[in-house]
Amino acid sequence: MGNPVLVEVLRGSLVESRHRGAVAIVDAAGATVMAVGDVTVPVFPRSAVKALQALPLVESGAADRYGFGDEELALACSSHSGEPGHVAVVNRMLAKAGLDVTALSCGAHWPMNQAAAFALAETGAPSALHNNCSGKHAGFLCVACGQGIDHMGYWLPDHPVQKTVRGVLEELADAVLSPECRAIDGCSVPTWAIPLKGLARAFARFGSGTGLSRERAAAAARLRAACAQKPCHVAGTGRFCTEIMKLLGARAFVKTGAEGMYCGALPEQGLGIAIKCDDGGGRASEAVMAAIIARFLPLEPAERAALAGFIHPVLRNWNGFEVGGLSVTDALG
C-alpha cells in the first residue's frame, strides 16, 4: 500500500496536498523505538549525514592542527546559506591548509539566502565558496592536507578521504556499503543508500557515543557542541536546522538533506531519527522532525509553544493573508 501520509497541506479547511513518507527512531543498540512506513529500503541521505562525514576532520587531528574552533567545525557539518559569514569561514579553513577556492570541487551556485544572493549579484557571480557544501568540502581537503595525502581528487570514491568517510558510515549505520548502493551527490562526492533504520542508529550513536571508540565518541561530542554553539553556521538565517538548535541547544541535533531527508539525534534520550518524504518535500520532513522532538524531548512550555509553529506552520499568500497550513497526521501515533 506504500508509505502512510505523514503531513497534509490544507488550503482553507480542505486538504490540498499530501506528503507520504517513512520514519525510523532507533537507539544506539539498534532497538526500534518507532517505525512508520518502510524503514528497511535503502535511501540516499544526501546532506543529512554531513556531521558523520565530518568525523575524520576531528579524528585525524586536522582540526587541531589547523586550530579550528566551533565556527569551522559547524561549517564542516553544514548546508550553509552562502551568507558572508559562511563564506569567510570556508575561506579561512582553506587558507589554514594552504589552499584557496580553486581547490574546491563542489561546483558553484547562488547563495541560498536571498539577501546574500541579491548582494552578490550587485558585485559579481557565485563561486564554489557559496555552494552550500563548501564547508564539508573544505573539511575533506583539510583531512587530506593534515595527513600529508595528495588532496587532488579528494571527492572521488577511491580517494583515501572518501574511503575513510565510507568506513565511518558503515560502522555507525552497521551497514555494508557496496558500489551498488553508491551514487553521486549534488556536490559530486559519493552518496550512499542506507535504510532509514540504519541511519537512525548511526545518529543514535553519534548523539550518545554508545558503541563508539573513545576517540570517535569524543569527536562526535565535539562536533555536536560546535553545532549547538554556532547553529547559524549549520544552515543560516531563519532556516529550520538553525532555529531548532538555537531553541534547544545541545539537547537536539538536526540536519537536513535533499529530497525530503532529515536526520537527527536526541543525545540525552540516546535516540537517533531518520525521516524520508517520498515526494522529496522538505517542508513536510521539517514538520515531522518538529513533531518527533515535541514527543520525545522534555520541553518547557515556551519551547513547546515555539515548536508548535514548526509542527503546524501557517501558509500565507503574497499579500500576507493566511491561506492554510501544514498538519502532521496521526500516522506518527
Side-chain angles (χ1 to χ4, degrees):
M1 296 296 292
N3 286 324
V5 174
L6 301 179
V7 174
E8 293 180 333
V9 183
L10 303 177
R11 184 161 294 266
S13 60
L14 300 179
V15 176
E16 183 174 34
S17 303
R18 295 177 175 86
H19 295 277
R20 295 181 179 273
V23 179
I25 304 176
V26 176
D27 67 19
T32 299
V33 175
M34 175 187 287
V36 179
D38 190 346
V39 300
T40 63
V41 63
V43 298
F44 291 110
R46 306 291 295 278
S47 291
V49 294
K50 282 181 176 176
L52 310 186
Q53 294 171 310
L55 284 167
L57 178 62
V58 178
E59 293 176 344
S60 69
D64 288 332
R65 175 172 181 167
Y66 297 125
F68 289 168
D70 290 341
E71 289 186 341
E72 291 88 351
L73 294 181
L75 253 295
C77 299
S78 78
S79 294
H80 67 76
S81 294
E83 297 170 58
H86 301 145
V87 173
V89 175
V90 177
N91 250 328
R92 190 164 73 219
M93 293 171 71
L94 294 171
K96 290 287 184 70
L99 303 173
D100 60 23
V101 62
T102 61
L104 293 172
S105 293
C106 52
H109 64 68
W110 288 96
M112 297 164 63
N113 178 272
Q114 190 177 72
F118 286 168
L120 179 60
E122 293 179 351
T123 60
S127 73
L129 293 169
H130 299 94
N131 188 304
N132 76 94
C133 296
S134 64
K136 175 179 74 174
H137 279 247
F140 289 155
L141 285 162
C142 289
V143 171
C145 293
Q147 295 181 294
I149 299 170
D150 184 0
H151 69 272
M152 297 300 293
Y154 71 90
W155 51 278
L156 294 169
D158 60 352
H159 190 277
V161 170
Q162 295 305 325
K163 288 182 177 179
T164 299
V165 170
R166 184 188 68 195
V168 170
L169 294 174
E170 287 182 322
E171 179 189 334
L172 269 69
D174 194 22
V176 176
L177 302 181
S178 62
E180 291 75 23
C181 61
R182 186 184 73 220
I184 301 172
D185 213 332
C187 64
S188 296
V189 301
T191 182
W192 301 91
I194 303 171
L196 286 177
K197 184 174 180 180
L199 289 168
R201 185 176 188 182
F203 275 87
R205 289 172 164 175
F206 175 78
S208 67
T210 302
L212 304 182
S213 68
R214 180 180 302 176
E215 294 77 15
R216 181 154 290 173
R222 186 172 171 186
L223 289 171
R224 294 196 320 271
C227 292
Q229 286 295 315
K230 299 294 181 179
C232 286
H233 286 68
V234 179
T237 303
R239 290 177 57 198
F240 182 84
C241 294
T242 292
E243 294 303 313
I244 291 298
M245 289 190 280
K246 281 172 63 177
L247 176 68
L248 301 172
R251 291 183 293 151
F253 175 86
V254 295
K255 182 66 188 69
T256 186
E259 298 298 328
M261 277 299 312
Y262 242 99
C263 289
L266 301 179
E268 293 175 2
Q269 287 69 39
L271 299 179
I273 305 161
I275 301 163
K276 169 67 176 177
C277 286
D278 293 344
D279 62 0
R283 63 179 181 178
S285 59
E286 289 178 356
V288 172
M289 179 62 81
I292 290 170
I293 292 171
R295 176 172 175 177
F296 287 95
L297 188 67
L299 299 168
E300 297 294 330
E303 294 170 336
R304 191 167 296 278
L307 267 181
F310 295 104
I311 300 171
H312 302 288
V314 171
L315 298 179
R316 298 184 183 277
N317 69 8
W318 296 111
N319 281 321
F321 303 149
E322 183 175 339
V323 297
L326 273 64
S327 178
V328 176
T329 72
D330 59 6
L332 295 182

